[in-house]
Amino acid sequence: MKLLFVGTNPENTGAATHFVALAKAMAEAGHQVSGIVPRKGLIGEGFEAAGLPVRYSIFRNAFDVRGYAAVLGEISRQSPDWLVGNFGKEYWPLIACGRLTNTPVALFRHRNPRMSKLSEYGVPRLAQRFIAVSEYARGAYLRWGVPSEHVWISYNPVDTVQYQPDPQRRAQVRREFGIGEDDIVLGYVGRMHGGKGVFQLMQAANQAMAREPRLHVLWVGDGHEEGRLHEIAARSGFEDRHHFTGWVADTSRFHPAFTFLAFPSIEPETFGRVSIEAAACGVPVLGSDIGGVPETMLDGVTGFLIEPGNVPAWRDRILDMCDEPRCRAMGLAARSYVIENFGNAAVAKDFERLLRFGAIPVHHLGHAAT
């Protein structure tokens, strides 16, 4: 198939990461993929790094004539089988361009906040595919009143070559932060604000550190409440075992250094990309049993699901993951699970089937019994 991906959002968001990853996955699967992307930002840089052909343009809003001209020009030149979009401000422009040229349109929705009444009614019905990135998200759209026959599912892909166990990176990152080879490293990757459960994680980690002297936490990312976490760490008595990277463009180099990952959100996540990135590196996950996170893992097999915000429960599971044979076994299971369900080849196959036949993937992810 010939696929024209239109994503002109210059921000470095999870949706942008998904957009690039899906385009690369489809290209690797043998499809002809091109993009209309911005010159700056994660999407433009990601398409360029992947060697995908692009036209640089931008939709500043849904009425930007330059954006329409770029899309219609590429449709005329390429005759794509599908237009693929990821961002709200481009929904109506892509629907309009698709209608004008008789080109089907597939639109992803990554967020749960409700759209305007016009968009909520029209976009799922006028796009040939309106796609949620998890069962959790699909359920939210159905509760809006979107008919079930108008909402499909396609999970995020992860490049299991970019994200894989890497002993050299593991040793390098640990040396960089003064962490020993035999130490146990709890990793956190993401923004640092209250909804991500970082304060509850800090409490649980400090309680676990009091019982496990080899336990360290590597905090990867930044956010407006990072300073408060530094202050709490400084008062904890374990300041030398909390390590902060600040903002980093490429988080993939840190995952192999983790013994396990914590994904402690107390507000629902639409999907939870960080979970599958860690698992692809052979790192088991402690994940909040909320939103789309349970769909990224098998409870008791690739990690553990835990009640959001329950500090004693998180402390106990952190200590459970300090059992190294258990952690290694879960890490092996995690990588296998991700390759089978979220690897580029698996997601590309599902997405192709979705475009051709409108089928929701038949396998049900997550929620294994402990």
Side-chain angles (χ1 to χ4, degrees):
M1 287 191 292
K2 287 193 290 185
L3 305 174
L4 177 58
F5 280 67
V6 182
T8 69
N9 188 336
E11 297 178 4
N12 296 331
T13 61
T17 300
H18 167 261
F19 191 75
V20 174
L22 182 62
K24 289 171 60 178
M26 297 307 288
E28 290 173 6
H31 301 285
Q32 186 176 327
V33 175
S34 61
I36 297 176
V37 301
R39 288 186 180 275
K40 295 181 179 180
L42 191 155
I43 293 176
E45 293 167 2
F47 269 67
E48 182 178 347
L52 299 173
V54 299
R55 175 169 177 171
Y56 294 111
S57 187
I58 192 166
F59 276 96
R60 300 185 190 279
N61 54 55
F63 305 101
D64 194 328
V65 174
R66 289 166 296 183
Y68 283 91
V71 174
L72 291 172
E74 289 304 298
I75 292 174
S76 176
R77 190 173 69 86
Q78 298 185 36
S79 298
D81 297 304
W82 283 87
L83 299 177
V84 182
N86 240 31
F87 303 99
K89 67 180 177 181
E90 292 157 357
Y91 286 172
W92 284 110
L94 291 181
I95 288 171
C97 290
R99 293 279 164 157
L100 284 170
T101 60
N102 199 32
T103 306
V105 177
L107 301 175
F108 282 86
R109 177 76 177 171
H110 287 264
R111 304 174 64 227
N112 286 336
R114 299 189 70 157
M115 297 185 285
S116 69
K117 289 185 178 180
L118 176 61
S119 293
E120 195 171 286
Y121 181 84
V123 169
R125 291 165 172 83
L126 295 175
Q128 282 69 35
R129 301 288 184 270
F130 180 69
I131 307 168
V133 295
S134 65
E135 291 182 9
Y136 166 75
R138 182 174 187 266
Y141 307 152
L142 298 185
R143 288 192 295 275
W144 294 356
V146 179
S148 60
E149 65 270 21
H150 288 295
V151 189
W152 288 266
I153 297 173
S154 180
Y155 288 104
N156 279 225
V158 61
D159 186 336
T160 54
V161 174
Q162 178 185 4
Y163 290 90
Q164 64 173 310
D166 188 329
Q168 185 175 351
R169 277 188 171 182
R170 180 181 189 275
Q172 181 182 22
V173 169
R174 287 182 172 226
R175 283 196 304 269
E176 182 180 337
F177 290 92
I179 300 171
E181 182 64 24
D182 294 329
D183 286 332
I184 299 164
V185 179
L186 183 166
Y188 172 85
V189 178
R191 290 176 293 131
M192 296 183 186
H193 68 74
K196 293 292 185 179
V198 291
F199 297 113
Q200 291 85 352
L201 178 61
M202 174 68 80
Q203 292 178 57
N206 286 335
Q207 291 177 19
M209 284 176 175
R211 294 166 58 178
E212 175 49 75
R214 295 180 300 155
L215 180 63
H216 292 244
V217 183
L218 181 53
W219 301 87
V220 180
D222 67 355
H224 63 275
E225 292 186 299
E226 181 184 354
R228 287 184 59 197
L229 289 174
H230 282 270
E231 293 171 3
I232 296 169
R235 297 195 303 266
S236 69
F238 305 111
E239 183 177 14
D240 61 337
R241 289 197 266 158
H242 288 282
H243 313 274
F244 295 86
T245 68
W247 185 86
V248 292
D250 178 16
T251 62
S252 64
R253 67 181 293 263
F254 294 98
H255 287 82
F258 302 155
T259 308
F260 58 97
L261 177 94
F263 193 175
S265 295
I266 58 176
E267 295 177 355
E269 301 280 350
T270 307
F271 176 66
R273 183 173 183 83
V274 67
S275 176
I276 61 171
E277 290 175 344
C281 295
V283 174
V285 176
L286 298 182
S288 281
D289 193 3
I290 191 172
V293 175
E295 296 174 56
T296 67
M297 55 189 292
L298 291 175
D299 187 22
V301 179
T302 67
F304 292 109
L305 291 169
I306 310 169
E307 180 185 356
N310 185 332
V311 172
W314 278 87
R315 176 202 61 212
D316 291 346
R317 284 307 192 190
I318 289 170
L319 290 169
D320 286 342
M321 297 305 284
C322 294
D323 181 325
E324 294 180 71
R326 168 186 282 171
C327 213
R328 281 195 297 270
M330 284 187 160
L332 291 171
R335 178 162 172 82
S336 296
Y337 180 70
V338 164
I339 290 172
E340 180 181 351
N341 294 287
F342 303 106
N344 280 0
V347 172
K349 182 178 179 181
D350 277 345
F351 188 53
E352 179 183 357
R353 184 169 68 239
L354 185 155
L355 295 181
R356 292 190 186 279
F357 309 113
I360 296 173
V362 295
H363 52 274
H364 179 80
L365 303 182
H367 305 285
T370 57

